[in-house]
Amino acid sequence: MNLNFNFNSIIKFELMGFAEPIYKIGKVTNVDSTEVAIIPQLKVYRNVHGSIHGRLDQYCTADDDCVVHIRRSLIASWCYAKATDIEIRKFISESDVQFSIQKTGSTKKFEDYTFNEYNHVTGFHKGNGRSCALIKEAQQTIGNT
């Protein structure tokens, strides 16, 4: 499959081989002939105009503390993800730090996260790294390691 996106793009991958579709969303950090490495994203709730409870930022996500490796042979399709995508389940909240830490399992402070701003017109984060389009996929079957 042609992975025609840039490094640091936030992509939604549909994986095949399951009874129901499984999706993984993350910032692309590495692509080689056999796998794609992504950093899962967290929804961001921020205080807006002095509100007590944070509101979902529709144009921002934050990097989680882990990396997920996806075999290229399992990717059925991909598309650019939006910050509000329902497959992004975990979140951080500026107004409720204790709950955020429990939810993500992290001890980071809100301001220590890496935030990813999405384009306000398209709603996408298309990255600023080099293109992955020329990285060819290894010819292998799903059962090979």
Side-chain angles (χ1 to χ4, degrees), residues 69-85:
H69 299 270
I70 302 170
R71 287 172 110 183
R72 284 182 71 165
S73 59
L74 293 178
I75 298 172
S77 66
W78 67 268
C79 64
Y80 290 101
K82 294 201 175 220
T84 55
D85 202 303

Side-chain angles (χ1 to χ4, degrees), residues 51-136:
S51 64
I52 297 171
H53 302 290
R55 296 172 68 199
L56 176 64
D57 189 331
Q58 296 183 8
Y59 300 104
C60 183
T61 57
D63 290 350
D64 204 346
D65 290 332
C66 61
V67 175
V68 173
H69 299 270
I70 302 170
R71 287 172 110 183
R72 284 182 71 165
S73 59
L74 293 178
I75 298 172
S77 66
W78 67 268
C79 64
Y80 290 101
K82 294 201 175 220
T84 55
D85 202 303
I86 62 170
E87 274 76 29
I88 303 174
R89 303 202 190 289
K90 293 179 8 179
F91 66 88
I92 58 170
S93 172
E94 184 177 35
S95 62
D96 191 355
V97 177
Q98 277 305 113
F99 186 69
S100 296
I101 290 171
Q102 291 171 358
K103 189 77 173 165
T104 63
S106 173
T107 57
K108 281 176 149 180
K109 295 178 184 170
F110 183 84
E111 58 272 4
D112 292 337
Y113 281 91
T114 299
F115 294 97
N116 303 295
E117 298 292 334
Y118 291 64
N119 182 295
H120 284 246
V121 175
T122 65
F124 302 134
H125 186 286
K126 292 191 174 183
N128 55 6
R130 67 183 175 90
S131 174
C132 300
L134 298 177
I135 303 171
K136 299 297 180 197

